[in-house]
Amino acid sequence: DAGVIQSPRHEVTEMGQEVTLRCKPISGHDYLFWYRQTMMRGLELLIYFNNNVPIDDSGMPEDRFSAKMPNASFSTLKIQPSEPRDSAVYFCASSLRGGLAFNEQFFGPGTRLTVL
Amino acid sequence: QQQVKQSPQSLIVQKGGISIINCAYENTAFDYFPWYQQFPGKGPALLIAIRPDVSEKKEGRFTISFNKSAKQFSLHIMDSQPGDSATYFCAASKGFNKFYFGSGTKLNVKP
């Protein structure tokens, strides 16, 4: 299995631009999580989905952030408009309820976002 | 309110020594306590995890000690190696649900 796939790996954009981050979870997994990691705030959960349905979006910082999961193999996190304080590493993770390791989340390699 | 508190923020250990990282949690309903290891430029990966029905779990050089009454758990790395240098995160969850991560500990094992 290729693991969780994220694209792009690096994104540099200017303030005010729209940014779209993409994630392909491990095939067969039914949970998908979006995290943001910064030095100041550590690893923060933004939103998670179960069977493509958003379950908890309480970590989404503001309306500029939105996430979708149109099918079981694809999710996007969109920031519009982007701001310098959005600069961070964004991780996608997936898990399978009832998998061999209870509740293990498998993380992707992350997208490093820099907003100038 | 921070659900999981982790300490220390950074740790320097000599090769062959024991690394100890501590976490404390608030919610007594938590029933799954994993430790994740993250190398620079990579995503976190599960290292070891424990359920509250046992007080200790060992996998190779890595041991979780769990104290339910004190609401604390810790990671012990025996015979620490330079290859163990990474950031370690503890976490807690209730059922099959979202994780509450600690703030992370950057471990540096000196040769």
Side-chain angles (χ1 to χ4, degrees):
Chain A
D1 199 318
V4 176
I5 298 172
Q6 291 187 247
S7 64
R9 293 295 311 277
H10 302 273
E11 176 82 27
V12 180
T13 189
E14 293 190 346
M15 182 174 64
Q17 296 298 306
E18 177 180 295
V19 175
T20 299
L21 310 181
R22 296 172 176 80
C23 175
K24 176 178 169 55
I26 293 174
S27 178
H29 281 194
D30 52 357
Y31 282 79
L32 184 137
F33 306 81
W34 281 102
Y35 291 89
R36 177 172 69 175
Q37 185 174 41
T38 62
M39 289 295 294
M40 290 295 295
R41 300 175 68 88
L43 202 55
E44 303 174 273
L45 176 66
L46 300 177
I47 185 172
Y48 76 97
F49 296 82
N50 176 222
N51 291 324
N52 314 335
V53 176
I55 302 300
D56 185 342
D57 65 355
S58 59
M60 295 287 262
E62 48 198 276
D63 291 345
R64 297 185 296 107
F65 285 69
S66 62
K68 294 183 179 180
M69 192 165 186
N71 57 63
S73 59
F74 184 66
S75 177
T76 60
L77 178 68
K78 187 174 293 187
I79 308 173
Q80 166 65 18
S82 58
E83 296 183 3
R85 59 194 169 116
D86 301 330
S87 296
V89 180
Y90 291 81
F91 289 103
C92 175
S94 70
S95 64
L96 173 63
R97 185 168 193 152
L100 290 176
F102 176 81
N103 214 6
E104 178 178 1
Q105 292 185 18
F106 294 82
F107 282 75
T111 295
R112 181 173 294 277
L113 173 65
T114 302
V115 183
L116 302 175
Chain B
Q1 182 185 9
Q2 195 174 3
Q3 297 272 2
V4 179
K5 296 181 179 179
Q6 183 172 347
S7 64
Q9 189 173 9
S10 63
L11 183 61
I12 299 175
V13 174
Q14 290 295 127
K15 178 182 175 181
I18 302 174
S19 303
I20 302 175
I21 305 170
N22 301 299
C23 283
Y25 62 96
E26 292 294 325
N27 190 342
T28 55
F30 288 148
D31 60 2
Y32 178 71
F33 302 89
W35 285 90
Y36 276 73
Q37 179 187 54
Q38 184 180 26
F39 293 104
K42 305 290 186 183
L46 178 66
L47 182 64
I48 187 173
I50 197 169
R51 303 290 295 275
D53 51 346
V54 296
S55 60
E56 185 175 282
K57 182 174 181 180
K58 184 176 181 180
E59 290 185 0
R61 296 183 294 109
F62 301 91
T63 300
I64 299 180
S65 296
F66 185 80
N67 187 328
K68 191 173 182 178
S69 61
K71 295 190 289 184
Q72 295 175 348
F73 58 110
S74 60
L75 176 69
H76 296 237
I77 306 174
M78 311 300 289
D79 186 26
S80 299
Q81 299 295 313
D84 297 330
S85 297
T87 300
Y88 293 81
F89 294 93
C90 62
S93 71
K94 173 180 176 295
F96 201 91
N97 214 320
K98 66 181 182 182
F99 287 176
Y100 295 90
F101 278 97
S103 54
T105 297
K106 189 171 184 178
L107 172 65
N108 184 8
V109 181
K110 292 197 173 293

